[in-house]
Amino acid sequence: MNRGFYSVQLILQNIRQLVTVAARGAFAKSGHAMRDLGVLDDATVLIEDGIIRWVGASSDFHEPSIADATMLDCSELAALPGFVDSHTHLLFAGSREDEFAMRVEGRSYQEIADAGGGILSTVNATRAASKKELKKLGRQRLDDMLKLGTTTVEIKSGYGLTQDDEIKMLEAINELAEEHYSTVVATFLGAHALPPEFAGNADGYVAVLCQRLLPYIAKRKLAAFCDAFCETKYFTVAQTETLFRAALAAGLKLKRHADQLTQIGASKLGASFHATSIDHLEKIDSDAMEAIREAGSIATVLPGVSFFLNYGYPPARQMIDSGLPIAIATNFNPGSCMSFSMPMMMTIACTHMGLTPEEALAAATVNGAAALNLSHRIGSIEVGKEADIILYRIPHYRHLAYHFGVNHVETIIKRGVILEF
Ligand code: NIG
């Protein structure tokens, strides 16, 4: 998808149901505020130069007198903010359908990784791919995500695990950010797994990340965030702490894979660093929930992982009830969640994690934006924000989670540009 229609002024008229997900000045929606979506029937939105300038009831709207304004009749459509997928491993070569078949027959994700599969098998395929090949794969996936209503995507490195291959991944992500309509945010995940070259020497590998890669990445501004897979058999709390100190010193913000397979204190460490988001949380306990709430981090849950690996879900209901701001992301990757459908994640969050459709929507939009420090720009349909708006042919926003497995997208508007398939 590389064509779009741009008009200086775009008016979405008579929108059947407008769901603003308005944050009303807050950084994110927390606890019960996640149910307040700011829904308006028969609404109008005025967009100028890609920015939302007016939102309200159609009866209150006075048409501006610009000759080339484009009007879009939305009387059969619902309008919602574009999804913000704040945790993905989108850039990889190869695929792991053989591991999927093994898991269906009873092998666990970790058993497969221990036998040489898992992340390291994708590392081999990604090292063998050129930057050009990776970009081609990435571009196609970003196109397909846009078609499903996702207008902002975070992409992690972490399938290179050598200096050259991590830089190759980050350059590809940054070039996609320049060239693609989607907003793309780059995260450095050099501490995703221990590369074979450093077997038995995780401390040595972390030292290389801190002393060589982070300064280089920071100098070239190749990543906004630094993440780490702090987990039994991957990186310890102490190693992650060393890495995070170096990342902060280099000027990167923090994200973190925490409490996915075991509870080793990873999310509490993330909270102590005031990480922008702390992600996964399948094994979170109530102390860690409290630490995240006090730190003001976003707790990002990844419903597709528990669904796809068929293991326990994070206690998202309890997290929201305890006042946490929850974001939902796909975690799209070839191992633990081979899906980049945000509506599918919302359905799973509702059916398996006890979120209401309203909470799931807030989690997939404005709170996802907060998990990327972007909620001042995107994630809701409010005056002053970028016009990332999806028009759906549905009678009610609840159909997004309820009528699952179907793409309801009618029109994609990215920063005021109507994208053409
Ligand atoms: O978030 N946990 C670490 N990383 C991914 C899985 C990546 C892979 O299996 O390739 C995750 O689940």
Side-chain angles (χ1 to χ4, degrees), residues 123-136:
V123 167
N124 289 335
T126 305
R127 284 181 180 181
S130 66
K131 182 166 80 177
K132 193 171 168 203
E133 287 164 338
L134 288 176
K135 279 180 66 182
K136 187 172 175 211

Side-chain angles (χ1 to χ4, degrees), residues 272-285:
S272 75
F273 275 87
H274 296 271
T276 305
S277 77
I278 303 180
D279 304 16
H280 266 290
L281 307 173
E282 288 87 339
K283 296 278 194 277
I284 193 172
D285 57 25

Side-chain angles (χ1 to χ4, degrees), residues 161-202:
L161 310 186
T162 64
Q163 176 152 341
D164 287 352
D165 290 300
E166 284 295 301
I167 299 302
K168 173 180 75 179
M169 287 194 75
L170 288 171
E171 284 180 351
I173 296 166
N174 279 274
E175 287 171 28
L176 286 169
E178 284 287 309
E179 296 161 14
H180 203 272
Y181 272 111
S182 295
T183 299
V184 172
V185 177
T187 295
F188 172 53
L189 181 59
H192 194 195
L194 191 60
E197 298 80 0
F198 281 83
N201 184 17

Side-chain angles (χ1 to χ4, degrees), residues 88-335:
T88 84
H89 304 256
L90 171 145
L91 203 66
F92 60 86
S95 65
R96 310 214 310 254
E97 64 278 6
D98 48 343
E99 294 183 8
F100 174 65
M102 284 155 82
R103 282 206 316 277
V104 168
E105 294 201 39
R107 305 272 302 276
S108 74
Y109 178 80
Q110 194 49 46
E111 278 167 4
I112 293 168
D114 288 345
I119 294 171
L120 289 182
S121 104
T122 299
V123 167
N124 289 335
T126 305
R127 284 181 180 181
S130 66
K131 182 166 80 177
K132 193 171 168 203
E133 287 164 338
L134 288 176
K135 279 180 66 182
K136 187 172 175 211
L137 289 164
R139 196 176 300 116
Q140 182 64 55
R141 290 168 188 159
L142 288 171
D143 283 355
D144 291 344
M145 291 169 93
L146 265 177
K147 290 177 196 165
L148 287 166
T150 301
T151 47
T152 297
V153 183
E154 182 255 17
I155 308 178
K156 299 176 197 298
S157 68
Y159 288 127
L161 310 186
T162 64
Q163 176 152 341
D164 287 352
D165 290 300
E166 284 295 301
I167 299 302
K168 173 180 75 179
M169 287 194 75
L170 288 171
E171 284 180 351
I173 296 166
N174 279 274
E175 287 171 28
L176 286 169
E178 284 287 309
E179 296 161 14
H180 203 272
Y181 272 111
S182 295
T183 299
V184 172
V185 177
T187 295
F188 172 53
L189 181 59
H192 194 195
L194 191 60
E197 298 80 0
F198 281 83
N201 184 17
D203 286 343
Y205 180 61
V206 170
V208 170
L209 297 182
C210 294
Q211 288 158 23
R212 284 212 231 130
L213 269 98
L214 272 171
Y216 181 81
I217 288 164
K219 191 165 155 223
R220 288 190 55 202
K221 295 193 185 337
L222 287 175
F225 291 96
C226 178
D227 193 350
F229 190 22
C230 182
E231 180 58 70
T232 307
K233 297 194 178 177
Y234 292 84
F235 295 94
T236 64
V237 168
Q239 287 156 354
T240 310
E241 192 170 348
T242 304
L243 181 73
F244 276 10
R245 285 195 199 292
L248 282 180
L252 275 74
K253 298 187 200 76
L254 303 177
K255 287 184 154 292
R256 117 161 318 200
H257 281 63
D259 307 346
Q260 177 181 3
L261 305 170
T262 56
Q263 173 55 254
I264 58 167
S267 54
K268 270 195 222 158
L269 179 73
S272 75
F273 275 87
H274 296 271
T276 305
S277 77
I278 303 180
D279 304 16
H280 266 290
L281 307 173
E282 288 87 339
K283 296 278 194 277
I284 193 172
D285 57 25
S286 39
D287 281 359
M289 270 183 226
E290 184 53 24
I292 295 176
R293 208 176 56 73
E294 278 177 11
S297 306
I298 302 290
T300 301
V301 295
L302 311 164
V305 178
S306 300
F307 179 79
F308 197 62
L309 296 185
N310 198 17
Y311 67 28
Y313 286 84
R317 178 74 267 145
Q318 197 188 334
M319 292 187 216
I320 293 176
D321 291 343
S322 71
L324 275 175
I326 299 288
I328 290 176
T330 63
N331 190 26
F332 173 57
N333 73 80

